[in-house]
Amino acid sequence: MTTIQEILNTMDYGTAPEDSKIVREWLSKHESGFGHFINGAFTKVGETFDVQNPATGDVIARVSQGSASDVDDAVKAARAAQPKWAGLSGHERAKYLYALARHVQQHSRFLAVLESIDNGKPIRESRDGDIPLVARHFYHHAGWAELAEDEFPGAEAVGVCGQVIPWNFPLLMLAWKVAPALAAGNTVVLKPAEYTPLTALAFAQIAAECGLPKGVLNIVTGDGETGAAVVGHENIDKVAFTGSTDVGRIIRQQTAGSGKSLTLELGGKSPFIVFADADLDAAVEGVVDAIWFNQGQVCCAGSRILVAEAVAAKFEKMLRKRMETIRVGDPLDKNTDIGAIVHPVQRDRIAELVNKGASEGLDLCQGTAPEGCFYPPTLATGVSPASVLWNEEIFGPVVTLTTFRTPKDAIALANNSRYGLAASIWSENVNLCLDIAAKVKAGVVWINCTNVFDAGAGFGGYRESGFGREGGREGMAAYLKQPKLKVKKPEAAPAAPNAVPVDGAEIGMIDRTAKLYIGGKQARPDSGYVYAVNGGKKTVGHAGLGSRKDVRNAVEAAHKAAGWGKATGHNRAQVLYYIAENLSARAKEFTDRLVSFGMNNGAAKAEVETAIRRCFWYAAQADKFDGMVHQTKTNNVSIAMHEPLGVMGVACPNGSPLAAMVSLVMPAIAMGNAVIVVPSQDHPLAATDFYQVLETSDVPAGVVNIITGPRDDLAKTLAQHDDVAGMWYVGTAEGAEMVERESAGNLKQTWTEDGGARDWTSAQGQGKEFLSRATQVKNIWVPYGE
């Protein structure tokens, strides 16, 4: 027998198993299988598939495989319930969400044990992390339901939401999506992960227990085909997906042109940056939380350690020592640090990637793990940015370590990834941390902490980590919409540009050649061609026929103007005021140009005046579209900062050639973006006149680039371009579908509309929606208080 003295000397500890009797009894009652939860009740069990306990390999349940017919039934139930649910007052919806939160708390131990049996995560994590956060999300969004009418005036529910969630946080991901959807007045069809459907089904029982109205929440279980049926259903109004980037890309293409709202929370390869002055003991524990939490099966896992060269050897020694004490084993043991990998397929994928890394000559340090579906904590050193372990999202307990010398090196290494979900920064110098936080391309940045979450702060990424936010104000806004603009007459596709000489040119003065505008200079089109611009029945001039190479040059010029996004809002505002001033001084010239297109004098004057007012309004907004500090339960200040998307493509409608272009360009540059503008195809000369205003208004070279020519061809090139971060398109329905589909390459944010939807000379042509569309929110978590 071990003596007390021996225990004090070794500081070892034994097992502390969690009792799973109640959960196993519940599972045995459903031995015949689980049906879907549709229209407030469970359906009969149909064709089933097995659900296994990852830690033991035992079959613990049989769950129905959802068919297209099942999904259709769920969508019909959700559609029928949605008007009445949205018609309830926010207070009435809030009462249901409060009830859901309370009942989750009442059943918290049951849900925690079920989650660990189904998913393989340690009971400590499901009990102390996941389930409390589930309740928190429902409480938080009950508050949003109560306040929505005041906080989001004029907004309305999107409609029926199709939601597909992953297996790494099964119940928490459900809460992230269901809570805001219900709070906003939407109804839901949710497809849980094939490997981990059980807590979603248990939650359905809780919803029934709370008396949630029939059809408001529907859960259809199944594999990827079931998820595809949900995403592709024609009567779904919004798709919310969390999962792999590859699947997110397919969904972007599948939903293109459908009019469905879309949010994607995808993969990550997050940097964990340790500076020389960091508290190394705290940083080592941070690594444990960053990569070995949830077996490393976390999209925002800190899987790339970047450590200052001066302390790298010491840090690595400390980390290796800490790895020796990590316990891998039974998820239901309260002393377990790393549980089971969710499925043998995933465990094999981890092993395959690590073996590829080892074949590259990397040094591996691994802990121990039991036989079965377990994988040991793994540290890879000597890793370069070309390594498979650096680039691929492993989704397992594997971390790389690379050194850097200067903060500039750290930023370059951190941003050397196609992802941009999260980052963690460690230093005793908070000024350095905040400086690095602003420069790291990530939607979430933790300072001297990691993997901190709360319903009160938004979560989501940049670049190929997806778009949209979950949690906080921005997460609630993702489930609301402004009333749809009515399209009286859809825009017709413009005729192909005529690049051959034509008769009937109107020559009243010395002929002026309209060029492209790239990098602050007038440039001839690379094609060497121009096309005729008609005004009424006559040709009023020629414009350059822009091409793919011109787009390439413009994108390069826009990236060189990166300093514009770093300028203060006040400084950007002064430039926009200067644009307004110079445009006003040339108002008659622009009016005459619009009249030459066939517009009457009164309408032309009104359009010019509108353009001038737009410049003033967005100049005023440049230093007033503020971020905010989110209220969270943690000892952190979560600062939500609006950041520019970066380089944007803007394809303008054919109508209102000056007002529409200015209304689209001004909010984009006011927020710090650089833009490549494709102006009205039929009437581009208003835009080529406008670049003369830009030249005299201190607009830095590359901030605004103008390429005339075939709008949809140029828009397609911009949508496909991996160095363009956002794309606005106002034109035809076919063009909008094309832009959304072609943007899937780097998952850029898009905003598409019919060219006939807005009256650009009215209040519809401006607003904070334009500013929101031109920015992305970065949430920075700073320790605050004790």
PDB file of all heavy atoms in Angstrom, residues 645 648-652 663-668 673 715 726-730 739 749-753 769-775:
ATOM      1  N   LEU A 645     -11.269  45.487 -44.638  1.00  0.00           N
ATOM      2  CA  LEU A 645     -11.059  44.189 -45.264  1.00  0.00           C
ATOM      3  C   LEU A 645      -9.680  44.120 -45.908  1.00  0.00           C
ATOM      4  O   LEU A 645      -9.031  43.082 -45.909  1.00  0.00           O
ATOM      5  CB  LEU A 645     -12.121  43.928 -46.327  1.00  0.00           C
ATOM      6  CG  LEU A 645     -13.583  43.866 -45.856  1.00  0.00           C
ATOM      7  CD1 LEU A 645     -14.500  43.594 -47.043  1.00  0.00           C
ATOM      8  CD2 LEU A 645     -13.774  42.833 -44.772  1.00  0.00           C
ATOM      9  N   MET A 648     -10.305  45.678 -51.918  1.00  0.00           N
ATOM     10  CA  MET A 648     -11.671  45.335 -52.309  1.00  0.00           C
ATOM     11  C   MET A 648     -11.894  45.581 -53.791  1.00  0.00           C
ATOM     12  O   MET A 648     -11.374  46.539 -54.363  1.00  0.00           O
ATOM     13  CB  MET A 648     -12.689  46.176 -51.519  1.00  0.00           C
ATOM     14  CG  MET A 648     -12.733  45.926 -50.034  1.00  0.00           C
ATOM     15  SD  MET A 648     -13.892  47.055 -49.211  1.00  0.00           S
ATOM     16  CE  MET A 648     -15.418  46.732 -50.123  1.00  0.00           C
ATOM     17  N   GLY A 649     -12.708  44.727 -54.394  1.00  0.00           N
ATOM     18  CA  GLY A 649     -13.210  44.968 -55.733  1.00  0.00           C
ATOM     19  C   GLY A 649     -14.605  45.544 -55.640  1.00  0.00           C
ATOM     20  O   GLY A 649     -15.406  45.111 -54.814  1.00  0.00           O
ATOM     21  N   VAL A 650     -14.918  46.536 -56.467  1.00  0.00           N
ATOM     22  CA  VAL A 650     -16.231  47.180 -56.473  1.00  0.00           C
ATOM     23  C   VAL A 650     -16.712  47.267 -57.912  1.00  0.00           C
ATOM     24  O   VAL A 650     -16.133  48.004 -58.723  1.00  0.00           O
ATOM     25  CB  VAL A 650     -16.187  48.593 -55.847  1.00  0.00           C
ATOM     26  CG1 VAL A 650     -17.557  49.247 -55.930  1.00  0.00           C
ATOM     27  CG2 VAL A 650     -15.700  48.544 -54.408  1.00  0.00           C
ATOM     28  N   ALA A 651     -17.736  46.508 -58.247  1.00  0.00           N
ATOM     29  CA  ALA A 651     -18.328  46.549 -59.586  1.00  0.00           C
ATOM     30  C   ALA A 651     -19.644  47.299 -59.505  1.00  0.00           C
ATOM     31  O   ALA A 651     -20.556  46.899 -58.771  1.00  0.00           O
ATOM     32  CB  ALA A 651     -18.545  45.138 -60.113  1.00  0.00           C
ATOM     33  N   CYS A 652     -19.765  48.386 -60.243  1.00  0.00           N
ATOM     34  CA  CYS A 652     -20.877  49.333 -60.103  1.00  0.00           C
ATOM     35  C   CYS A 652     -22.015  49.023 -61.076  1.00  0.00           C
ATOM     36  O   CYS A 652     -21.811  48.415 -62.131  1.00  0.00           O
ATOM     37  CB  CYS A 652     -20.382  50.749 -60.349  1.00  0.00           C
ATOM     38  SG  CYS A 652     -19.062  51.273 -59.228  1.00  0.00           S
ATOM     39  N   SER A 663     -21.075  56.386 -54.041  1.00  0.00           N
ATOM     40  CA  SER A 663     -21.747  55.794 -52.879  1.00  0.00           C
ATOM     41  C   SER A 663     -21.126  54.470 -52.465  1.00  0.00           C
ATOM     42  O   SER A 663     -21.239  54.064 -51.302  1.00  0.00           O
ATOM     43  CB  SER A 663     -23.237  55.580 -53.184  1.00  0.00           C
ATOM     44  OG  SER A 663     -23.889  56.804 -53.434  1.00  0.00           O
ATOM     45  N   LEU A 664     -20.486  53.779 -53.403  1.00  0.00           N
ATOM     46  CA  LEU A 664     -19.830  52.514 -53.095  1.00  0.00           C
ATOM     47  C   LEU A 664     -18.368  52.697 -52.710  1.00  0.00           C
ATOM     48  O   LEU A 664     -17.857  52.018 -51.820  1.00  0.00           O
ATOM     49  CB  LEU A 664     -19.944  51.570 -54.296  1.00  0.00           C
ATOM     50  CG  LEU A 664     -21.353  51.053 -54.606  1.00  0.00           C
ATOM     51  CD1 LEU A 664     -21.405  50.433 -55.992  1.00  0.00           C
ATOM     52  CD2 LEU A 664     -21.809  50.049 -53.561  1.00  0.00           C
ATOM     53  N   VAL A 665     -17.691  53.628 -53.361  1.00  0.00           N
ATOM     54  CA  VAL A 665     -16.266  53.809 -53.112  1.00  0.00           C
ATOM     55  C   VAL A 665     -16.009  54.531 -51.788  1.00  0.00           C
ATOM     56  O   VAL A 665     -15.116  54.162 -51.018  1.00  0.00           O
ATOM     57  CB  VAL A 665     -15.612  54.582 -54.275  1.00  0.00           C
ATOM     58  CG1 VAL A 665     -14.187  55.016 -53.922  1.00  0.00           C
ATOM     59  CG2 VAL A 665     -15.601  53.725 -55.527  1.00  0.00           C
ATOM     60  N   MET A 666     -16.804  55.558 -51.471  1.00  0.00           N
ATOM     61  CA  MET A 666     -16.522  56.370 -50.293  1.00  0.00           C
ATOM     62  C   MET A 666     -16.577  55.589 -48.974  1.00  0.00           C
ATOM     63  O   MET A 666     -15.682  55.732 -48.138  1.00  0.00           O
ATOM     64  CB  MET A 666     -17.464  57.584 -50.235  1.00  0.00           C
ATOM     65  CG  MET A 666     -17.181  58.637 -51.283  1.00  0.00           C
ATOM     66  SD  MET A 666     -15.497  59.326 -51.203  1.00  0.00           S
ATOM     67  CE  MET A 666     -14.836  58.726 -52.743  1.00  0.00           C
ATOM     68  N   PRO A 667     -17.590  54.740 -48.723  1.00  0.00           N
ATOM     69  CA  PRO A 667     -17.557  53.993 -47.461  1.00  0.00           C
ATOM     70  C   PRO A 667     -16.383  53.024 -47.387  1.00  0.00           C
ATOM     71  O   PRO A 667     -15.819  52.802 -46.312  1.00  0.00           O
ATOM     72  CB  PRO A 667     -18.894  53.256 -47.445  1.00  0.00           C
ATOM     73  CG  PRO A 667     -19.344  53.207 -48.869  1.00  0.00           C
ATOM     74  CD  PRO A 667     -18.828  54.476 -49.473  1.00  0.00           C
ATOM     75  N   ALA A 668     -16.013  52.460 -48.539  1.00  0.00           N
ATOM     76  CA  ALA A 668     -14.903  51.506 -48.541  1.00  0.00           C
ATOM     77  C   ALA A 668     -13.597  52.195 -48.160  1.00  0.00           C
ATOM     78  O   ALA A 668     -12.843  51.690 -47.317  1.00  0.00           O
ATOM     79  CB  ALA A 668     -14.785  50.849 -49.912  1.00  0.00           C
ATOM     80  N   ASN A 673      -9.949  50.813 -46.610  1.00  0.00           N
ATOM     81  CA  ASN A 673      -9.691  49.870 -47.688  1.00  0.00           C
ATOM     82  C   ASN A 673      -9.088  50.570 -48.900  1.00  0.00           C
ATOM     83  O   ASN A 673      -9.266  51.774 -49.097  1.00  0.00           O
ATOM     84  CB  ASN A 673     -11.000  49.192 -48.116  1.00  0.00           C
ATOM     85  CG  ASN A 673     -11.636  48.402 -47.007  1.00  0.00           C
ATOM     86  OD1 ASN A 673     -11.191  47.322 -46.650  1.00  0.00           O
ATOM     87  ND2 ASN A 673     -12.705  48.950 -46.424  1.00  0.00           N
ATOM     88  N   ALA A 715     -15.202  41.775 -63.077  1.00  0.00           N
ATOM     89  CA  ALA A 715     -15.660  41.343 -61.758  1.00  0.00           C
ATOM     90  C   ALA A 715     -15.286  39.892 -61.498  1.00  0.00           C
ATOM     91  O   ALA A 715     -14.920  39.521 -60.370  1.00  0.00           O
ATOM     92  CB  ALA A 715     -17.174  41.533 -61.637  1.00  0.00           C
ATOM     93  N   GLY A 726     -12.331  41.376 -50.439  1.00  0.00           N
ATOM     94  CA  GLY A 726     -13.773  41.610 -50.441  1.00  0.00           C
ATOM     95  C   GLY A 726     -14.230  42.011 -51.822  1.00  0.00           C
ATOM     96  O   GLY A 726     -13.462  42.593 -52.606  1.00  0.00           O
ATOM     97  N   MET A 727     -15.476  41.700 -52.140  1.00  0.00           N
ATOM     98  CA  MET A 727     -15.996  41.990 -53.479  1.00  0.00           C
ATOM     99  C   MET A 727     -17.430  42.460 -53.375  1.00  0.00           C
ATOM    100  O   MET A 727     -18.298  41.756 -52.846  1.00  0.00           O
ATOM    101  CB  MET A 727     -15.908  40.725 -54.345  1.00  0.00           C
ATOM    102  CG  MET A 727     -16.348  40.924 -55.785  1.00  0.00           C
ATOM    103  SD  MET A 727     -15.154  41.919 -56.708  1.00  0.00           S
ATOM    104  CE  MET A 727     -16.207  42.559 -58.030  1.00  0.00           C
ATOM    105  N   TRP A 728     -17.692  43.684 -53.850  1.00  0.00           N
ATOM    106  CA  TRP A 728     -19.049  44.211 -53.962  1.00  0.00           C
ATOM    107  C   TRP A 728     -19.436  44.221 -55.441  1.00  0.00           C
ATOM    108  O   TRP A 728     -18.666  44.671 -56.294  1.00  0.00           O
ATOM    109  CB  TRP A 728     -19.134  45.639 -53.423  1.00  0.00           C
ATOM    110  CG  TRP A 728     -18.948  45.749 -51.936  1.00  0.00           C
ATOM    111  CD1 TRP A 728     -18.774  44.735 -51.050  1.00  0.00           C
ATOM    112  CD2 TRP A 728     -18.916  46.967 -51.179  1.00  0.00           C
ATOM    113  NE1 TRP A 728     -18.638  45.234 -49.780  1.00  0.00           N
ATOM    114  CE2 TRP A 728     -18.727  46.595 -49.824  1.00  0.00           C
ATOM    115  CE3 TRP A 728     -19.034  48.307 -51.497  1.00  0.00           C
ATOM    116  CZ2 TRP A 728     -18.645  47.539 -48.793  1.00  0.00           C
ATOM    117  CZ3 TRP A 728     -18.961  49.254 -50.479  1.00  0.00           C
ATOM    118  CH2 TRP A 728     -18.769  48.879 -49.150  1.00  0.00           C
ATOM    119  N   TYR A 729     -20.618  43.723 -55.700  1.00  0.00           N
ATOM    120  CA  TYR A 729     -21.095  43.659 -57.084  1.00  0.00           C
ATOM    121  C   TYR A 729     -22.538  44.125 -57.120  1.00  0.00           C
ATOM    122  O   TYR A 729     -23.399  43.584 -56.407  1.00  0.00           O
ATOM    123  CB  TYR A 729     -21.000  42.240 -57.636  1.00  0.00           C
ATOM    124  CG  TYR A 729     -21.605  42.066 -59.011  1.00  0.00           C
ATOM    125  CD1 TYR A 729     -20.839  42.246 -60.155  1.00  0.00           C
ATOM    126  CD2 TYR A 729     -22.960  41.757 -59.161  1.00  0.00           C
ATOM    127  CE1 TYR A 729     -21.396  42.110 -61.423  1.00  0.00           C
ATOM    128  CE2 TYR A 729     -23.524  41.621 -60.425  1.00  0.00           C
ATOM    129  CZ  TYR A 729     -22.739  41.799 -61.550  1.00  0.00           C
ATOM    130  OH  TYR A 729     -23.296  41.674 -62.797  1.00  0.00           O
ATOM    131  N   VAL A 730     -22.825  45.110 -57.946  1.00  0.00           N
ATOM    132  CA  VAL A 730     -24.190  45.591 -58.154  1.00  0.00           C
ATOM    133  C   VAL A 730     -24.460  45.514 -59.644  1.00  0.00           C
ATOM    134  O   VAL A 730     -23.871  46.263 -60.428  1.00  0.00           O
ATOM    135  CB  VAL A 730     -24.377  47.033 -57.638  1.00  0.00           C
ATOM    136  CG1 VAL A 730     -25.836  47.452 -57.752  1.00  0.00           C
ATOM    137  CG2 VAL A 730     -23.897  47.160 -56.198  1.00  0.00           C
ATOM    138  N   VAL A 739     -20.155  36.060 -59.159  1.00  0.00           N
ATOM    139  CA  VAL A 739     -19.223  36.637 -58.190  1.00  0.00           C
ATOM    140  C   VAL A 739     -19.182  35.803 -56.914  1.00  0.00           C
ATOM    141  O   VAL A 739     -18.103  35.517 -56.373  1.00  0.00           O
ATOM    142  CB  VAL A 739     -19.612  38.097 -57.881  1.00  0.00           C
ATOM    143  CG1 VAL A 739     -18.938  38.595 -56.609  1.00  0.00           C
ATOM    144  CG2 VAL A 739     -19.244  38.995 -59.053  1.00  0.00           C
ATOM    145  N   GLN A 749     -15.182  37.920 -48.622  1.00  0.00           N
ATOM    146  CA  GLN A 749     -16.514  38.409 -48.300  1.00  0.00           C
ATOM    147  C   GLN A 749     -17.110  39.084 -49.532  1.00  0.00           C
ATOM    148  O   GLN A 749     -16.429  39.839 -50.223  1.00  0.00           O
ATOM    149  CB  GLN A 749     -16.455  39.399 -47.141  1.00  0.00           C
ATOM    150  CG  GLN A 749     -15.953  38.770 -45.853  1.00  0.00           C
ATOM    151  CD  GLN A 749     -16.129  39.682 -44.657  1.00  0.00           C
ATOM    152  OE1 GLN A 749     -17.115  40.400 -44.551  1.00  0.00           O
ATOM    153  NE2 GLN A 749     -15.170  39.657 -43.741  1.00  0.00           N
ATOM    154  N   THR A 750     -18.372  38.811 -49.802  1.00  0.00           N
ATOM    155  CA  THR A 750     -19.039  39.404 -50.953  1.00  0.00           C
ATOM    156  C   THR A 750     -20.321  40.107 -50.527  1.00  0.00           C
ATOM    157  O   THR A 750     -20.929  39.768 -49.513  1.00  0.00           O
ATOM    158  CB  THR A 750     -19.391  38.336 -52.010  1.00  0.00           C
ATOM    159  OG1 THR A 750     -20.288  37.381 -51.433  1.00  0.00           O
ATOM    160  CG2 THR A 750     -18.142  37.626 -52.500  1.00  0.00           C
ATOM    161  N   TRP A 751     -20.715  41.084 -51.322  1.00  0.00           N
ATOM    162  CA  TRP A 751     -22.004  41.760 -51.163  1.00  0.00           C
ATOM    163  C   TRP A 751     -22.526  41.980 -52.571  1.00  0.00           C
ATOM    164  O   TRP A 751     -21.919  42.699 -53.360  1.00  0.00           O
ATOM    165  CB  TRP A 751     -21.830  43.078 -50.433  1.00  0.00           C
ATOM    166  CG  TRP A 751     -23.119  43.779 -50.119  1.00  0.00           C
ATOM    167  CD1 TRP A 751     -24.370  43.241 -50.069  1.00  0.00           C
ATOM    168  CD2 TRP A 751     -23.283  45.168 -49.807  1.00  0.00           C
ATOM    169  NE1 TRP A 751     -25.307  44.189 -49.733  1.00  0.00           N
ATOM    170  CE2 TRP A 751     -24.662  45.375 -49.563  1.00  0.00           C
ATOM    171  CE3 TRP A 751     -22.407  46.235 -49.693  1.00  0.00           C
ATOM    172  CZ2 TRP A 751     -25.173  46.636 -49.220  1.00  0.00           C
ATOM    173  CZ3 TRP A 751     -22.915  47.480 -49.347  1.00  0.00           C
ATOM    174  CH2 TRP A 751     -24.282  47.680 -49.111  1.00  0.00           C
ATOM    175  N   THR A 752     -23.628  41.335 -52.905  1.00  0.00           N
ATOM    176  CA  THR A 752     -24.168  41.446 -54.252  1.00  0.00           C
ATOM    177  C   THR A 752     -25.603  41.935 -54.209  1.00  0.00           C
ATOM    178  O   THR A 752     -26.361  41.592 -53.294  1.00  0.00           O
ATOM    179  CB  THR A 752     -24.125  40.090 -54.981  1.00  0.00           C
ATOM    180  OG1 THR A 752     -24.935  39.138 -54.272  1.00  0.00           O
ATOM    181  CG2 THR A 752     -22.698  39.563 -55.064  1.00  0.00           C
ATOM    182  N   GLU A 753     -25.967  42.740 -55.198  1.00  0.00           N
ATOM    183  CA  GLU A 753     -27.327  43.268 -55.315  1.00  0.00           C
ATOM    184  C   GLU A 753     -27.689  43.437 -56.785  1.00  0.00           C
ATOM    185  O   GLU A 753     -26.808  43.594 -57.645  1.00  0.00           O
ATOM    186  CB  GLU A 753     -27.441  44.646 -54.645  1.00  0.00           C
ATOM    187  CG  GLU A 753     -27.688  44.621 -53.176  1.00  0.00           C
ATOM    188  CD  GLU A 753     -28.052  45.995 -52.650  1.00  0.00           C
ATOM    189  OE1 GLU A 753     -28.039  46.979 -53.418  1.00  0.00           O
ATOM    190  OE2 GLU A 753     -28.349  46.093 -51.460  1.00  0.00           O
ATOM    191  N   GLU A 769     -24.830  50.244 -42.984  1.00  0.00           N
ATOM    192  CA  GLU A 769     -24.662  48.924 -43.561  1.00  0.00           C
ATOM    193  C   GLU A 769     -23.459  48.898 -44.494  1.00  0.00           C
ATOM    194  O   GLU A 769     -22.704  47.917 -44.539  1.00  0.00           O
ATOM    195  CB  GLU A 769     -25.914  48.486 -44.318  1.00  0.00           C
ATOM    196  CG  GLU A 769     -25.795  47.086 -44.902  1.00  0.00           C
ATOM    197  CD  GLU A 769     -27.006  46.633 -45.683  1.00  0.00           C
ATOM    198  OE1 GLU A 769     -27.878  47.475 -45.979  1.00  0.00           O
ATOM    199  OE2 GLU A 769     -27.078  45.429 -46.012  1.00  0.00           O
ATOM    200  N   PHE A 770     -23.248  49.982 -45.245  1.00  0.00           N
ATOM    201  CA  PHE A 770     -22.104  50.064 -46.147  1.00  0.00           C
ATOM    202  C   PHE A 770     -20.799  49.993 -45.351  1.00  0.00           C
ATOM    203  O   PHE A 770     -19.839  49.345 -45.765  1.00  0.00           O
ATOM    204  CB  PHE A 770     -22.152  51.362 -46.953  1.00  0.00           C
ATOM    205  CG  PHE A 770     -23.246  51.425 -47.982  1.00  0.00           C
ATOM    206  CD1 PHE A 770     -24.543  51.732 -47.617  1.00  0.00           C
ATOM    207  CD2 PHE A 770     -22.982  51.189 -49.318  1.00  0.00           C
ATOM    208  CE1 PHE A 770     -25.559  51.789 -48.558  1.00  0.00           C
ATOM    209  CE2 PHE A 770     -23.983  51.244 -50.273  1.00  0.00           C
ATOM    210  CZ  PHE A 770     -25.289  51.547 -49.890  1.00  0.00           C
ATOM    211  N   LEU A 771     -20.767  50.666 -44.205  1.00  0.00           N
ATOM    212  CA  LEU A 771     -19.569  50.664 -43.370  1.00  0.00           C
ATOM    213  C   LEU A 771     -19.323  49.286 -42.762  1.00  0.00           C
ATOM    214  O   LEU A 771     -18.181  48.824 -42.702  1.00  0.00           O
ATOM    215  CB  LEU A 771     -19.708  51.719 -42.265  1.00  0.00           C
ATOM    216  CG  LEU A 771     -19.922  53.159 -42.748  1.00  0.00           C
ATOM    217  CD1 LEU A 771     -20.231  54.078 -41.577  1.00  0.00           C
ATOM    218  CD2 LEU A 771     -18.693  53.664 -43.499  1.00  0.00           C
ATOM    219  N   SER A 772     -20.397  48.630 -42.325  1.00  0.00           N
ATOM    220  CA  SER A 772     -20.256  47.279 -41.773  1.00  0.00           C
ATOM    221  C   SER A 772     -19.731  46.322 -42.819  1.00  0.00           C
ATOM    222  O   SER A 772     -18.893  45.453 -42.536  1.00  0.00           O
ATOM    223  CB  SER A 772     -21.605  46.779 -41.244  1.00  0.00           C
ATOM    224  OG  SER A 772     -22.046  47.544 -40.155  1.00  0.00           O
ATOM    225  N   ARG A 773     -20.242  46.455 -44.044  1.00  0.00           N
ATOM    226  CA  ARG A 773     -19.808  45.566 -45.126  1.00  0.00           C
ATOM    227  C   ARG A 773     -18.352  45.805 -45.511  1.00  0.00           C
ATOM    228  O   ARG A 773     -17.708  44.934 -46.084  1.00  0.00           O
ATOM    229  CB  ARG A 773     -20.685  45.780 -46.345  1.00  0.00           C
ATOM    230  CG  ARG A 773     -22.154  45.474 -46.142  1.00  0.00           C
ATOM    231  CD  ARG A 773     -22.441  44.008 -46.317  1.00  0.00           C
ATOM    232  NE  ARG A 773     -23.874  43.739 -46.384  1.00  0.00           N
ATOM    233  CZ  ARG A 773     -24.396  42.556 -46.689  1.00  0.00           C
ATOM    234  NH1 ARG A 773     -23.609  41.544 -46.953  1.00  0.00           N
ATOM    235  NH2 ARG A 773     -25.709  42.382 -46.717  1.00  0.00           N
ATOM    236  N   ALA A 774     -17.834  46.993 -45.215  1.00  0.00           N
ATOM    237  CA  ALA A 774     -16.465  47.351 -45.586  1.00  0.00           C
ATOM    238  C   ALA A 774     -15.460  47.024 -44.488  1.00  0.00           C
ATOM    239  O   ALA A 774     -14.268  47.301 -44.644  1.00  0.00           O
ATOM    240  CB  ALA A 774     -16.388  48.842 -45.923  1.00  0.00           C
ATOM    241  N   THR A 775     -15.931  46.441 -43.391  1.00  0.00           N
ATOM    242  CA  THR A 775     -15.050  46.156 -42.262  1.00  0.00           C
ATOM    243  C   THR A 775     -15.228  44.724 -41.783  1.00  0.00           C
ATOM    244  O   THR A 775     -16.200  44.050 -42.117  1.00  0.00           O
ATOM    245  CB  THR A 775     -15.341  47.108 -41.086  1.00  0.00           C
ATOM    246  OG1 THR A 775     -16.737  47.038 -40.749  1.00  0.00           O
ATOM    247  CG2 THR A 775     -14.974  48.538 -41.427  1.00  0.00           C
TER     248      THR A 775
END
